[in-house]
Amino acid sequence: MTRLCRFNDDRLGIVANAEVIDVTAALQVLPPSRWPLPQADLLVMHLPRVLARAHEIAPSAPRLPLAEVALRSPVANPPKVIGAPVNYVRHQAEALADGGVNFEKDVKTIAHYGLFLKSSTSVAGPADKLLVRFPDRRTDHELELVVVIGEGGRDIPEGEAMRHVGGYTIGLDMTIRGPEDRSLRKSLDGFSVLGPWLVTADEIGDPNDLQMSLRVNDELRQEASTRDMIFSVQRLIAYASQHYTLCPGDVIYTGTPEGVGPVRPGDHLECVIEGIGCMNIAVAGAGRS
Ligand code: MN
């Protein structure tokens, strides 16, 4: 049961209530790396070993107030950032109630679109600047549960999928609205926010039954349960692994529920997912600084 964060200048921390225990020294158990690097996030690849060492040194490690650290993405180098388009039914269910809509035939969901990939350079943490780079375009928030792959694999059966989960984190799949391909509109620097920390898989009982909410400047925009996902976490892992080899540190954004909306410079976002915590992000400004 661990909440693991990356903070300040690539320091490693265990989050305990309102404190961060600085266990950066645990990274010494990582093997020396050499070219070519494995297709993996090195920390996630060796997570059990790092966690064991971190808990060993935690009792005598320095502690800092959580409120005073800058939180980075808990996964520094995800080999793949995988997205799930249209994986929530609630707003389609409303359309169905109006009659005349054949859900299987007329409503396009993840079963039709499959998955998409975002650039790994779009990954950022809650303390990094979330820039609205094209202020004349609508830039939306999408709150999503994110699965962090621990042990990689391919053709993973749904029944074994949970063995491949290293942990979970909160994700913001930021999006520019418009006709361009998703891989362009969702891949701007900072558009894949991950945080505030990684919770190990054992902290989350059933990932398909978590409440979540997103507020912009205290206004409730998104409120849903992962119960409403069309593809469950297990099915997403199985489906993704039929197409790409999953690697340690790959992150899967599991899709956003209804209530997406625009953000503007100066906005404050509060993202909550049950069992993980609360992630606060400021929209820093506009332009291409
Ligand atoms: Mn999304």
Side-chain angles (χ1 to χ4, degrees):
M1 299 261 291
T2 309
R3 297 177 173 206
L4 204 60
C5 72
R6 181 161 68 106
F7 68 98
N8 296 351
D9 298 323
D10 297 321
R11 303 201 69 79
L12 186 70
I14 291 176
V15 179
N17 301 315
E19 286 185 320
V20 174
I21 308 170
D22 186 338
V23 291
T24 308
L27 295 171
Q28 287 163 5
V29 303
L30 293 179
S33 51
R34 54 175 191 179
W35 184 89
L37 291 170
Q39 305 250 32
D41 179 275
L42 287 178
L43 170 62
V44 177
M45 188 178 186
H46 299 285
L47 191 59
R49 212 197 296 185
V50 173
L51 284 173
R53 183 70 183 137
H55 283 293
E56 259 173 36
I57 64 175
S60 55
R63 289 166 176 257
L64 300 90
L66 177 59
E68 288 176 18
V69 305
L71 291 164
R72 312 298 178 192
S73 165
V75 185
N77 303 112
K80 287 190 287 301
V81 180
I82 300 167
V86 199
N87 197 25
Y88 277 81
V89 290
R90 194 185 290 179
H91 59 290
Q92 273 99 347
E94 291 164 357
L96 260 183
D98 293 340
V101 178
N102 180 319
F103 186 80
E104 291 296 325
K105 240 179 71 188
D106 299 334
V107 179
K108 289 191 171 61
T109 69
I110 185 169
H112 171 86
Y113 294 113
L115 301 170
F116 62 89
L117 293 171
K118 306 182 68 169
S119 166
S120 57
T121 48
S122 67
V123 170
D128 299 322
K129 281 186 179 178
L130 178 52
L131 286 175
V132 176
R133 287 173 68 88
F134 298 98
D136 50 331
R137 308 265 315 256
R138 183 170 150 179
T139 300
D140 278 9
H141 56 75
E142 296 189 0
L143 171 67
E144 312 196 6
L145 171 70
V146 170
V147 178
V148 180
I149 295 297
E151 187 189 325
R154 57 175 301 132
D155 292 322
I156 298 167
E158 274 187 52
E160 290 175 25
M162 296 308 285
R163 277 205 307 112
H164 294 265
V165 177
Y168 300 92
T169 187
I170 301 175
L172 269 178
D173 174 21
M174 298 302 298
T175 302
I176 296 175
R177 298 281 284 256
E180 301 92 342
D181 196 272
R182 283 185 176 87
S183 64
L184 182 77
R185 292 185 287 111
K186 291 172 172 282
S187 285
L188 278 68
D189 288 3
F191 269 32
S192 298
V193 185
L194 294 171
W197 39 72
L198 178 142
V199 301
T200 50
D202 59 345
E203 283 225 24
I204 303 288
D206 179 5
N208 305 305
D209 189 16
L210 301 175
Q211 281 296 126
M212 56 187 192
S213 65
L214 179 142
R215 285 178 166 78
V216 179
N217 307 329
D218 294 326
E219 177 202 341
L220 184 64
R221 291 268 188 92
Q222 295 189 274
E223 188 173 38
S225 166
T226 57
R227 209 182 307 125
D228 295 330
M229 290 191 292
I230 297 170
F231 279 21
S232 67
V233 164
Q234 290 90 331
R235 190 169 175 196
L236 284 169
I237 291 169
Y239 182 80
S241 75
Q242 288 165 10
H243 297 81
Y244 351 94
T245 296
L246 292 182
C247 305
D250 277 350
V251 293
I252 304 178
Y253 279 74
T254 59
T256 196
E258 66 176 5
V260 301
V263 299
R264 294 182 186 84
D267 282 350
H268 172 262
L269 278 60
E270 182 198 83
C271 311
V272 176
I273 298 185
E274 184 185 356
I276 301 176
C278 178
M279 175 168 80
N280 288 286
I281 301 141
V283 181
R288 285 161 227 174
S289 60

